[in-house]
Each structure stands twice: as C-alpha cells, then as structure tokens.
Amino acid sequence: MPLALAGWRSHDDIARQLADATCFGLLDLLRSFYLFDNDERAEQVFVILLPRGAYLATKMQMGGINASETLRGLPAINRVDDICCYGYNQTNFVDGLISVPEAMGMRNFKADPTKATLYASSITWFSRAYSTHGVLADLSRAQGLQAMGWPE
C-alpha cells in the first residue's frame, strides 16, 4: 500500500506545507501506539531482514492511535508520536496552538511536558530545519546516519 494511502505524507509534502510558516511548536505524545511484548517464539518468526543482519522485534504494535485523523484540518502535522504545530504569523499560530491540545484531549492523547516546545521561530524536525528563511536539510542528522554501523 502506498504510504499516502496509509495516511503518511512524504517529507517533501510536509516541507511544502511548512515552507511559509514563521512560528513553530513541537509536542511529543507519551504514547503513540499500544505496544505488546512479544513471546520469544514470536521474535523468531517476525524478523526484519537487512543485507548485513537481522533485527528481532521485541514489541509489536497493536491498535495504533490515529493522531493523523485527530489533527486533520488543524495547523499541525504528526509523524508517529511527534507533532509539529505551525503558523504563518503569531496570531495564526496561537489560535492553532490552542486548538491542537483541545483536539488531543478529546481523544485522550497526552503530551510529554518535558519535551514540548511551545514557541520557536525555527525548529529541526525529521531531518529538516524549518525557519522563517524556509526549509533546509539538517546536515547534522545526515552525518549521524552516515556514521551508523551495520548490525552484527
């Protein structure tokens, strides 16, 4: 299934939407998915194969919470459990920032207060740097990914 049909938007789509934004806020949900521990036998059955190794899943997602549907029509974009609120000016941003927690509260979402950024003129979010100057690649993130080793 294409990611767009599953509710996932590409980084380029998000970058276009946030290109003219001047105000940003970040929220991190305490729980984005209901996770269950796998039985050891299930870990042997469900494995992610990569060219140089295999990853065993110790937890499985069951009954995902649909943040994308909750935030539809609001000035906010989510990627799994990270939510970026945005506005094109301060008034627009404050109005949106009030509506996002209200919508989250109706679905019993809870954000982590220690990871929240309620206002910023620039943010780094999912390998992109967003600011009043537009959208740029986050080079520090790319360097970190390039330095990662292969699984053993």
Side-chain angles (χ1 to χ4, degrees), residues 10-68:
S10 74
H11 286 295
D12 292 336
D13 290 340
I14 291 171
R16 278 190 291 277
Q17 186 168 353
L18 296 180
D20 295 327
T22 60
C23 307
F24 305 92
L26 295 175
L27 300 171
D28 190 1
L29 298 179
L30 287 172
R31 175 181 286 180
S32 58
F33 295 103
Y34 294 111
L35 297 174
F36 293 96
D37 290 329
N38 274 347
D39 183 85
E40 270 188 48
R41 292 170 292 170
E43 289 178 22
Q44 301 301 318
V45 173
F46 181 80
V47 74
I48 300 170
L49 298 176
L50 298 171
R52 297 185 184 216
Y55 287 110
L56 301 178
T58 58
K59 294 188 181 286
M60 287 295 295
Q61 170 193 335
M62 298 292 182
I65 301 171
N66 193 344
S68 298

Side-chain angles (χ1 to χ4, degrees), residues 50-152:
L50 298 171
R52 297 185 184 216
Y55 287 110
L56 301 178
T58 58
K59 294 188 181 286
M60 287 295 295
Q61 170 193 335
M62 298 292 182
I65 301 171
N66 193 344
S68 298
E69 183 63 32
T70 300
L71 298 172
R72 187 180 309 261
L74 297 176
I77 299 171
N78 79 295
R79 285 300 239 186
V80 188
D81 65 342
D82 296 314
I83 298 173
C84 175
C85 303
Y86 61 92
Y88 301 107
N89 58 50
Q90 289 182 347
T91 304
N92 173 262
F93 175 72
V94 170
D95 291 343
L97 194 60
I98 291 169
S99 64
V100 169
E102 287 175 353
M104 290 171 49
M106 291 168 61
R107 294 278 181 102
N108 203 26
F109 285 106
K110 293 184 176 41
D112 185 345
T114 64
K115 294 184 178 180
T117 301
L118 295 181
Y119 177 81
S121 58
S122 65
I123 59 167
T124 301
W125 192 58
F126 283 92
S127 304
R128 303 273 171 100
Y130 299 94
S131 72
T132 55
H133 303 295
V135 182
L136 301 170
D138 177 18
L139 298 179
S140 65
R141 175 79 172 159
Q143 291 167 349
L145 291 173
Q146 290 173 342
M148 284 177 58
W150 288 96
E152 295 180 18

